[in-house]
Amino acid sequence: MSKSCESVPKVFGSNVFNDIVMRERLPKDVYKSLKKSLERNETLDPSIANVIANAMKDWAIEKGATHYCHWFQPMTGSTAEKHDSFISPTSQGTTIMEFSGKELYQGEPDASSFPSGGLRATFEARGYTAWDCTSPVFIKEDGDNITLYIPSAFCSYVGHALDKKTPLLRSMDALNTHAMRVIRALGNTTSKRITATLGPEQEYFLVDKTFYDKRLDLILAGRTLFGAMSPRGQEMEDHYFGALHERVASFMHELNLELWKLGVSAKTQHNEVSPAQYELAPVFGTVNVATDHNHLVMETLRKVALRHNFVCLLHEKPFTGVNGSGKHNNWSMVTDDGINLLDPGSTPHENMIFLVILCAVIKAVDKYSEILRASVANSGNDHRLGANEAPPAIVSIFLGDQLSDIFNQLAAGGAKSSKKGEELKLGVSTLPPLPKDYTDRNRTSPFAFTGNKFEFRMVGSSQSTAGPMFVLNTIVTDVLCEIADELEKAENVKAKVQSILKKIANEHKKIIYNGDNYTEDWVKEAEKRGLPNIRSTVASLETIMKKQNVALFKKYGVLTEEELGARTDILIKSYNMSINIEAMTMLCIAKRQILPACIKYSSVIAGSVSSISSAGVDAGSQKEILENLCSLITTLKENIAKLENTVDEGKKISDAIKIGRFSRDNIVPAMKALRKTADELETVTDAQLWPLPTYADMLFVR
Ligand code: ADP
Ligand code: MG
């Protein structure tokens, strides 16, 4: 592998059918027609499909590809693909390589085993994939197998969305329509399109594969279900931004090269707070492509880790007692002529478009905080949100000093000044003074304004960014639509803007919180303000089908009531299955590994008690140790039985939401009790006999 920096520009995008390749390989008129449709967001002219498909095939074959696939995002949250080769046998017993426009545009993968939430019975085998031409086609190398990947949407025979991409694309369209109305009403005449942008920071853990292979919980559930805390955790705060370990740095180097080939703009990498935890951030892009790229990031992380004998853990909470992993979604809106609508400029109080967009986001997040919270609900995130860890389950917005000041001025009737950023003097004559940022950072906020974008920090590390992003796009669209309705009717737009902003600033200031979100004080304060604090996935999912949400998604054509219902059903069932897998895995490990090890150790001590006593020496200490051990073994056995019975009881329930509540209220506590005893046993059992690699092994051994 090349280590030269010069080769990076050559490597970057080398496996992407990008604009340069298209210009080179497509006839001029076809290229122009394709570009025009992309720029205007129009449907492609089907008559050029064959030409494009053929050019793609030739390009792919030159790169060694034998197959193509429609690559889509079913509601499992991951990606799916079914490969077809280009071969087309001839009557002479030979073959030619073919790829038609129809095959590019549409696939019919059957794919009846994906969750559809009842939208599609298995006997209705037809499910369709359709090329999403706004996300570039690329080539992926998996071992010797090289395949042309066509990013696609996935829908049922009758047109129901069965994937995460379709609602995201629909929400982008809706946002474009209504954000354009707003900026037009505010006097913008140059922009033609508005796109939502996303830069997802991805956190992950790396664990040595030798340890991973010995942990059934990591293999089956993606997180440790047992494990006493290591004597050292993250308290020294020395891992965060620490020097990269060589083995990890080599992994990151190869990871970057693989991502760059795919056109993924991997940019930032660093050690995170917990030992063995890391982060990768790309340069932001349109929310659709950034979502596709984040899927590639997650897949490539896993793949490249294995080449370095690591396993990459993307679970939200692989280890108890140290930080979990999130995916900070940096989000904004940009016009086709390059205006970032959330860029305050140097005098934000005069920047009318900025203020309107800012206030629209604030109102949307306050009004629809429950559905936003639900967009990040999964069993993994239950260990983060509302569980004494970043960020809390209460949705609130951090604005920072300068914008809060402006926001307060708006509430009083109009903003007349912007607090200026000062210079920071470092007190060392050789260091230059740094301009102080207008907004400080607040790492504890779930939804923070960070300079020229919002950062939604509740998203789980394993989640697709599509869900939270289509929700955010849609709720903001709704407020923008309301504002556009008012502005378009107004005789005096400026006065109207002022009254709209005043109203928003007064009615929604309760969502603004610049303090420390981790404190008990905030929990109490939020309750006083009437902000929801929804701590569990189940409670959160139970809010989705509220009238307000159903009407919202329907109004903007993002999801029908049926589609939203199906999704909710899938989410709740997925929660139930995750808990069930975790409980069954715990029982398996407890009964077949931990209990036998403890029994073995107890008989070793018992042997020592009798041989010491028969030698005429007092075995009092050994006896005490044995008694303590035996009593813990009894508790372990009881807790195993309790969890087993609880799981069995849960099987008698048939309604998904009731299973969910039962899992949360009965199975999860029974799992916790079992773990507590097992972890205690770990601390008193001979390390040689303990069957599982320890937290210290997994977090500290490189
Ligand atoms: P942090 O300091 O918050 O960890 P990082 O540099 O790790 O920041 O990540 C910030 C992310 O925000 C990057 O992915 C960056 O490309 C993205 N970003 C910057 N500007 C925008 C924008 N206008 N819209 C969306 N994302 C953006
Ligand atoms: Mg970061």
Side-chain angles (χ1 to χ4, degrees):
M1 189 173 313
S2 162
K3 296 213 152 101
S4 146
C5 276
E6 277 162 43
S7 62
V8 172
K10 269 192 219 141
V11 165
F12 191 86
S14 56
N15 280 353
V16 183
F17 195 76
N18 56 23
D19 193 57
I20 298 173
V21 183
M22 286 196 273
R23 202 172 334 164
E24 249 171 44
R25 290 180 174 254
L26 294 175
K28 248 199 188 120
D29 52 329
V30 173
Y31 172 76
K32 269 196 191 150
S33 159
L34 176 63
K35 283 294 276 185
K36 206 175 78 191
S37 316
L38 286 176
E39 269 154 28
R40 297 189 185 167
N41 214 25
E42 291 165 353
T43 326
L44 285 184
D45 172 359
S47 71
I48 62 173
N50 277 329
V51 184
I52 301 174
N54 205 46
M56 279 179 187
K57 178 205 69 186
D58 290 345
W59 173 77
I61 288 176
E62 280 167 36
K63 293 196 158 278
T66 51
H67 287 68
Y68 69 92
C69 75
H70 277 214
W71 181 63
F72 57 103
Q73 298 162 20
M75 288 188 288
T76 52
S78 55
T79 57
E81 52 197 49
K82 176 181 166 198
H83 299 195
D84 279 297
S85 75
F86 292 120
I87 68 162
S88 173
T90 63
S91 52
Q92 291 86 41
T94 57
T95 187
I96 48 170
M97 301 298 256
E98 265 185 352
F99 183 47
S100 69
K102 187 171 172 288
E103 287 165 319
L104 166 64
Y105 271 46
Q106 188 180 318
E108 199 208 317
D110 174 352
S112 50
S113 292
F114 288 114
S116 73
L119 285 181
R120 176 180 174 222
T122 31
F123 62 86
E124 296 173 297
R126 280 176 203 270
Y128 292 99
T129 52
W131 178 31
D132 164 22
C133 61
T134 62
S135 182
V137 164
F138 58 93
I139 271 175
K140 206 150 68 69
E141 301 158 334
D142 292 296
D144 293 335
N145 192 47
I146 302 177
T147 305
L148 177 71
Y149 278 68
I150 302 155
S152 304
F154 180 45
C155 65
S156 76
Y157 183 63
V158 292
H160 288 309
L162 293 175
D163 67 346
K164 302 228 168 198
K165 186 188 267 283
T166 306
L168 182 63
L169 291 172
R170 290 172 180 166
S171 75
M172 289 172 73
D173 264 355
L175 186 69
N176 171 47
T177 305
H178 298 284
M180 277 306 300
R181 287 176 61 207
V182 168
I183 69 166
R184 278 280 186 273
L186 293 175
N188 171 301
T189 52
T190 56
S191 309
K192 295 193 187 75
R193 265 193 73 71
I194 291 171
T195 321
T197 53
L198 167 66
E201 302 165 47
Q202 175 74 50
E203 294 179 335
Y204 60 94
F205 278 82
L206 289 179
V207 172
D208 193 290
K209 188 165 183 302
T210 324
F211 299 134
Y212 174 91
D213 286 341
K214 293 191 183 126
R215 303 249 355 178
L216 197 62
D217 48 3
L218 285 183
I219 295 172
L220 298 183
R223 73 177 182 103
T224 54
L225 298 166
F226 293 104
M229 189 52 204
S230 149
R232 177 180 181 150
Q234 63 189 39
E235 62 276 39
M236 301 290 278
E237 298 178 337
D238 53 352
H239 190 256
Y240 186 58
F241 281 16
L244 294 179
H245 190 286
E246 232 177 58
R247 184 173 164 208
V248 174
S250 295
F251 154 79
M252 287 179 173
H253 176 74
E254 194 173 339
L255 172 71
N256 287 329
L257 285 177
E258 290 292 344
L259 290 173
W260 290 338
K261 277 197 229 167
L262 295 166
V264 178
S265 54
K267 170 93 174 159
T268 309
Q269 59 196 25
H270 59 80
N271 285 0
E272 256 302 329
V273 171
S274 165
Q277 191 186 29
Y278 308 92
E279 180 183 301
L280 176 150
V283 176
F284 69 95
T286 68
V287 64
N288 176 36
V289 176
T291 292
D292 286 358
H293 280 183
N294 183 252
H295 278 295
L296 289 175
V297 165
M298 292 195 282
E299 188 185 316
T300 312
L301 276 167
R302 289 199 175 106
K303 185 159 98 176
V304 177
L306 288 174
R307 294 187 201 154
H308 293 256
N309 207 40
F310 280 128
V311 174
C312 173
L313 305 178
L314 291 170
H315 194 280
E316 283 74 18
K317 192 73 180 176
F319 301 99
T320 305
V322 291
N323 274 20
S325 299
K327 178 145 38 196
H328 295 175
N329 281 18
N330 294 271
W331 173 93
S332 186
M333 283 181 254
V334 68
T335 64
D336 59 325
D337 50 351
I339 309 166
N340 175 358
L341 299 182
L342 281 172
D343 188 349
S346 50
T347 50
H349 67 285
E350 293 171 342
N351 185 344
M352 203 159 55
I353 290 187
F354 165 74
L355 289 178
V356 169
I357 301 289
L358 179 81
C359 289
V361 176
I362 292 171
K363 176 170 177 181
V365 171
D366 187 29
K367 182 171 176 193
Y368 293 108
S369 72
E370 285 183 342
I371 189 79
L372 197 59
R373 162 70 181 93
S375 76
V376 296
N378 73 6
S379 66
N381 243 350
D382 275 7
H383 303 280
R384 297 173 70 228
L385 311 176
N388 262 339
E389 160 148 3
I394 307 162
V395 177
S396 71
I397 297 179
F398 169 81
L399 279 187
D401 287 349
Q402 191 195 34
L403 291 186
S404 294
D405 176 56
I406 293 172
F407 195 70
N408 292 336
Q409 292 183 48
L410 290 174
K416 301 204 170 49
S417 66
S418 304
K419 273 192 181 174
K420 285 283 166 230
E422 305 144 36
E423 264 187 5
L424 272 184
K425 299 231 168 54
L426 297 176
V428 179
S429 58
T430 52
L431 295 177
L434 302 173
K436 194 171 160 190
D437 276 330
Y438 301 129
T439 54
D440 193 4
R441 290 175 165 255
N442 180 332
R443 299 187 61 88
T444 68
S445 174
F447 200 93
F449 185 78
T450 45
N452 57 6
K453 58 189 159 67
F454 275 102
E455 186 171 340
F456 185 30
R457 302 199 178 111
M458 292 170 112
V459 184
S461 49
S462 72
Q463 288 186 300
S464 160
T465 55
M469 291 299 97
F470 84 67
V471 169
L472 183 56
N473 286 346
T474 312
I475 64 179
V476 173
T477 298
D478 186 48
V479 180
L480 289 173
C481 173
E482 270 171 37
I483 294 177
D485 288 347
E486 289 198 55
L487 292 180
E488 283 165 1
K489 289 192 303 238
E491 272 169 24
N492 181 341
V493 170
K494 264 198 172 154
K496 190 79 208 167
V497 168
Q498 201 155 46
S499 78
I500 292 174
L501 297 189
K502 182 176 175 187
K503 191 157 182 262
I504 292 182
N506 280 300
E507 284 173 8
H508 300 281
K509 60 172 169 252
K510 70 174 192 295
I511 194 82
I512 309 291
Y513 184 64
N514 292 325
D516 184 350
N517 282 254
Y518 297 175
T519 60
E520 232 356 83
D521 285 352
W522 169 231
V523 174
K524 284 189 200 128
E525 164 71 17
E527 200 182 328
K528 254 193 245 153
R529 293 189 191 184
L531 298 178
N533 182 5
I534 306 173
R535 288 172 186 264
S536 74
T537 292
V538 182
S540 177
L541 298 180
E542 290 193 69
T543 67
I544 296 182
M545 295 309 287
K546 284 189 178 174
K547 257 197 197 135
Q548 160 177 286
N549 299 331
V550 172
L552 168 79
F553 291 113
K554 189 168 160 213
K555 175 166 179 192
Y556 299 100
V558 175
L559 289 173
T560 62
E561 180 167 4
E562 232 182 330
E563 287 171 328
L564 189 66
R567 257 152 234 267
T568 311
D569 188 56
I570 290 170
L571 290 170
I572 185 74
K573 284 184 179 147
S574 152
Y575 172 83
N576 297 346
M577 287 185 285
S578 302
I579 300 295
N580 187 56
I581 290 170
E582 290 186 353
M584 301 304 281
T585 306
M586 280 192 99
L587 288 171
C588 196
I589 295 174
K591 290 201 293 192
R592 302 189 57 232
Q593 293 185 280
I594 296 178
L595 195 58
C598 295
I599 289 173
K600 202 184 264 174
Y601 183 46
S602 66
S603 60
V604 171
I605 308 176
S608 133
V609 169
S610 62
S611 57
I612 291 174
S613 307
S614 60
V617 179
D618 174 30
S621 300
Q622 284 77 356
K623 251 190 180 159
E624 237 174 67
I625 294 174
L626 183 60
E627 273 162 13
N628 176 41
L629 189 65
C630 289
S631 123
L632 280 172
I633 290 175
T634 307
T635 315
L636 186 75
K637 222 183 115 262
E638 283 166 11
N639 284 339
I640 289 174
K642 207 161 173 196
L643 179 57
E644 239 165 5
N645 292 337
T646 315
V647 169
D648 282 347
E649 215 178 301
K651 297 229 163 80
K652 293 181 199 145
I653 310 170
S654 54
D655 178 65
I657 202 81
K658 284 186 186 147
I659 299 176
R661 289 186 207 136
F662 182 84
S663 303
R664 175 194 61 196
D665 300 335
N666 300 79
I667 299 180
V668 171
M671 284 165 57
K672 278 198 180 133
L674 175 57
R675 174 171 185 162
K676 189 162 173 279
T677 318
D679 289 359
E680 210 176 327
L681 274 161
E682 184 186 331
T683 64
V684 296
T685 303
D686 183 351
Q688 306 288 329
L689 293 177
W690 193 255
L692 305 169
T694 65
Y695 265 38
D697 293 334
M698 292 181 285
L699 292 172
F700 288 95
V701 178
R702 290 278 154 278

